[in-house]
Amino acid sequence: MDLEQLRQHWQQIGKTLSFSDKVSPTSRDPFLGRLEEDYILQYLNSDQKVLEVGCGDAAHTVGYAKRVKSICGLDVAESLIKLARERAPLAGADNTEFITASVLDVNHVAPDRPLDCVISQRCLINLPDWKRQQEGIIKIHEVLKPGGLFLMTEGFVEELDNLNRVRGLVNLPEIKVVSYNRNLLHHEFDPFIDEYFTVEAVHDYGFYLFLSRIYHPLAVVPEQPRHDSRLNEVAALLSRLVPTPDMKQFSYNLFYVLRKK
């Protein structure tokens, strides 16, 4: 998909979403979303002016708002921004602002620059190619103050390949990347990010993804696994409680804590 097709895709999604949806195209796995949110919250504080790129319907933004001084959410789809503006007052998040814009335009629309923190929760993978993803990272770097934080939880190719190899061993089908996503490649991303940011930490969801994407479907066969199932809820709980460093290889979503150089 090109940029306009991507915008149209999310515009249409926003027209069909409901606040009551537990599983939706913007948050297909609610438990993974909460694990992402848990990590992000660890790095937020009441002194920060924050920008969230690709905020969608603000399902996570309103939670971040309670931790920070102010937060502005950007999304390319006006329909999603409309939902975000409806959700914020219902959640008591009166320190929010929402703007229809792409991450590629962030240096033109971001208010209150320079910013203390930028959050990208699966936004960069919605750009169509590596050139655009690089451009997005550079734009984020530009709006951050020196030493500002870029909290980035995004998809990666190599870890998904690792998980799919195990799925193949137990006769599970390969997990395919959806047409509107382009996961990052470490050999491109890691050296590039080093030019602009210091990597302070890399957190993973490997234990949860292994349980939810391999154990869960095997346990319920011949039924289809569900992202909002009790098994995934338990897997998310265990992943919070049990340190499992060897599972990072299966974490096709990784959370990078990046500080602007």
Side-chain angles (χ1 to χ4, degrees):
M1 290 188 180
D2 60 26
L3 289 171
E4 178 56 23
Q5 289 172 323
L6 288 164
R7 187 197 68 78
Q8 291 178 5
H9 169 79
W10 290 114
Q11 176 70 8
Q12 188 59 39
I13 291 298
K15 293 178 180 179
T16 63
L17 281 186
S18 166
F19 290 161
S20 62
D21 294 336
K22 290 184 178 179
V23 176
S24 72
T26 60
S27 184
R28 287 178 292 163
D29 184 335
F31 299 112
L32 178 58
R34 290 175 199 167
L35 292 173
E36 293 173 328
E37 187 173 319
D38 287 348
Y39 275 138
I40 290 168
L41 286 168
Q42 292 179 29
Y43 295 90
L44 301 181
N45 63 65
S46 60
D47 295 325
Q48 292 170 320
K49 294 183 294 184
V50 178
L51 173 72
E52 183 183 8
V53 294
C55 68
D57 60 349
H60 298 286
T61 317
V62 294
Y64 306 144
K66 296 174 183 178
R67 188 67 61 88
V68 302
K69 182 176 182 180
S70 65
I71 185 166
C72 176
L74 299 185
D75 200 278
V76 71
E78 174 61 34
S79 59
L80 289 172
I81 289 297
K82 180 176 182 292
L83 289 172
R85 288 171 178 158
E86 293 171 1
R87 185 190 293 272
L90 295 175
D94 57 2
N95 58 340
T96 57
E97 178 182 2
F98 297 99
I99 300 172
T100 304
S102 166
V103 61
L104 301 178
D105 301 317
V106 68
N107 57 331
H108 299 302
V109 300
D112 302 324
R113 292 167 53 192
L115 294 159
D116 300 295
C117 177
V118 175
I119 298 168
S120 176
Q121 195 166 355
R122 286 170 282 113
C123 172
L124 294 177
I125 61 171
N126 281 281
L127 294 172
D129 52 53
W130 174 230
K131 180 181 178 181
R132 296 291 192 177
Q133 291 169 335
Q134 288 175 292
E135 183 181 349
I137 292 168
I138 292 170
K139 295 293 179 64
I140 288 167
H141 182 268
E142 289 175 355
V143 299
L144 280 168
K145 71 178 185 181
L149 283 177
F150 178 25
L151 305 178
M152 188 205 85
T153 182
E154 299 282 354
F156 283 83
V157 171
E158 294 88 346
E159 285 77 9
L160 180 57
D161 288 344
N162 292 339
L163 191 72
N164 276 330
R165 275 193 286 272
V166 179
R167 284 175 62 93
L169 293 174
V170 293
N171 298 316
L172 290 172
E174 179 180 340
I175 295 174
K176 301 287 189 180
V177 179
V178 293
S179 61
Y180 49 85
N181 283 169
R182 192 269 183 187
N183 282 351
L184 299 166
L185 287 157
H186 282 291
H187 76 266
E188 294 175 341
F189 174 80
D190 292 340
F192 179 77
I193 209 72
D194 186 58
E195 297 180 37
Y196 299 92
F197 295 93
T198 299
V199 179
E200 295 204 339
V202 182
H203 299 290
D204 71 88
Y205 317 93
F207 186 39
Y208 172 73
L209 290 170
F210 190 90
L211 290 177
S212 62
R213 276 34 173 194
I214 296 177
Y215 174 77
H216 177 185
L218 288 174
V220 301
V221 72
E223 297 179 14
Q224 289 297 312
R226 292 180 50 185
H227 283 313
D228 60 344
S229 73
R230 174 62 177 164
L231 277 172
N232 279 11
E233 183 178 11
V234 171
L237 173 63
L238 290 175
S239 71
R240 290 186 177 95
L241 299 176
V242 183
T244 51
D246 291 343
M247 290 293 186
K248 183 178 179 182
Q249 63 182 306
F250 304 116
S251 185
Y252 58 83
N253 196 330
L254 291 170
F255 175 55
Y256 276 72
V257 181
L258 304 168
R259 192 169 296 279
K260 178 175 177 175
K261 289 183 175 179

